[in-house]
Amino acid sequence: QVQLVESGGGLVQAGGSLRLSCAGSGRTFSSYAAGWFRQAPGKEREFAAAISWSGERAYYADSVKGRFTISRDNDKNTVYLQMNSMKPGEPAVYYCNAGGGWGYPGDYWGQGTQVTVSS
């Protein structure tokens, strides 16, 4: 079983940047594709970005393409989400996920980290 813990959430100014981290429980984490999903109040959880197990390929939702960058460091068992040009309409809890495919979640979820964008 893989355990995931997100960190790096908080308050960010519109147009600013924030980097989220997702720490996996062990080296096994490096064998899984991983991704980030986000959920705003009153809305369904939506896909944001995904990365292959090797970190060589990435896929993004149109809503974040060009602004967000997903990466991973398997030596540190960590997946990152660099978020640039944050928009006020993007308050959400961001969830790390492992074991899924492009746009589809796997079985492993983190607890989530809150991101709030101020005007």
Side-chain angles (χ1 to χ4, degrees):
Q1 187 175 20
V2 175
Q3 295 186 35
L4 307 173
V5 179
E6 302 96 337
S7 62
L11 180 65
V12 62
Q13 189 176 16
S17 299
L18 199 65
R19 189 175 79 157
L20 306 181
S21 298
C22 172
S25 60
R27 284 188 172 272
T28 303
F29 180 52
S30 66
S31 299
Y32 294 88
W36 289 93
F37 293 74
R38 61 185 187 174
Q39 186 172 22
K43 295 186 177 181
E44 297 292 324
R45 189 172 300 183
E46 65 179 23
F47 166 76
I51 190 167
S52 64
W53 67 269
S54 66
E56 296 180 350
R57 290 172 288 121
Y59 178 69
Y60 300 93
D62 288 340
S63 59
V64 307
K65 192 174 300 181
R67 299 187 298 120
F68 290 12
T69 302
I70 188 171
S71 62
R72 71 190 304 166
D73 185 340
N74 286 337
D75 289 337
K76 297 181 178 179
N77 297 315
T78 302
V79 175
Y80 305 96
L81 185 67
Q82 178 67 47
M83 305 184 295
N84 298 327
S85 301
M86 296 296 291
K87 299 178 179 179
E90 294 179 323
V93 177
Y94 284 71
Y95 297 91
C96 184
N97 178 266
W102 281 179
Y104 299 94
D107 294 335
Y108 306 106
W109 292 97
Q111 292 295 313
T113 184
Q114 178 72 45
V115 175
T116 302
V117 185
S118 64
S119 300

